Amino acid sequence: MERSGICIGPRWNFIDEHFWLSSDKLKTHLYFRQFENKSTWFPAFGADVSDIKIGKKWLLNTAVHGWIQPKNMEFTQSSGKPGGAIDVTGKYCLSFLNKSGLKGLSANIGLIIKSKGFLLEEMNMGDQIGARLGVSVWL
């Protein structure tokens, strides 16, 4: 399957390189990112492991992210400041509904601890300790 998309960073461009490695027991994703402001490139990276089985009904997703971004996220800043995040999500599998066309349904609870900086799909660009509640449906 081919995927493409566009994402805009705050006051800068960025380029991603993604690598997915999976087996029957392990699903991993690695990425490298380069942020570009007016005159400087800043590096970032991340790795996650998905759907780690913990017991019969629990799955765990973990991710770590690291970056160097322009100080104060300024477009003209040439010096950078390091930052990072740790993200953990637990999924309690409620059912597997193959007859209805659904592969599964889960209730999710997550925690993120993040320093100041831009992280794709996170609304808060400041320091953060956040929690999530949600539901996943697998088609």
Side-chain angles (χ1 to χ4, degrees):
M1 176 186 338
E2 187 175 318
R3 290 190 275 175
S4 64
I6 297 172
C7 183
I8 298 172
R11 302 180 199 96
W12 55 65
N13 297 318
F14 62 90
I15 300 170
D16 283 357
E17 296 84 35
H18 293 267
F19 303 91
W20 288 270
L21 307 167
S22 65
S23 67
D24 292 337
K25 295 182 180 184
L26 192 64
K27 296 177 186 175
T28 61
H29 167 237
L30 306 169
Y31 73 86
F32 298 96
R33 179 171 292 143
Q34 301 82 43
F35 294 99
E36 177 195 26
N37 67 2
K38 183 178 179 184
S39 60
T40 307
W41 286 92
F42 299 91
F45 69 92
D48 59 78
V49 181
S50 301
D51 297 340
I52 303 165
K53 290 185 180 182
I54 300 177
K56 283 187 171 184
K57 295 207 169 230
W58 281 95
L59 298 174
L60 184 69
N61 293 355
T62 62
V64 63
H65 308 276
W67 58 76
I68 297 176
Q69 293 182 5
K71 286 185 180 176
N72 299 318
M73 293 184 278
E74 293 176 3
F75 182 70
T76 57
Q77 182 64 254
S78 61
S79 59
K81 181 178 179 186
I86 296 172
D87 194 347
V88 178
T89 302
K91 297 180 176 184
Y92 182 75
C93 299
L94 298 170
S95 63
F96 290 90
L97 310 167
N98 292 329
K99 292 180 184 177
S100 66
L102 296 177
K103 292 181 181 177
L105 180 69
S106 70
N108 307 334
I109 185 167
L111 174 71
I112 185 167
I113 301 169
K114 181 181 115 11
S115 66
K116 182 178 179 179
F118 170 71
L119 180 60
L120 197 59
E121 298 180 356
E122 275 301 317
M123 290 180 9
N124 188 343
M125 288 196 284
D127 294 334
Q128 168 186 346
I129 297 176
R132 295 187 197 100
L133 293 173
V135 174
S136 292
V137 177
W138 302 303
L139 302 173

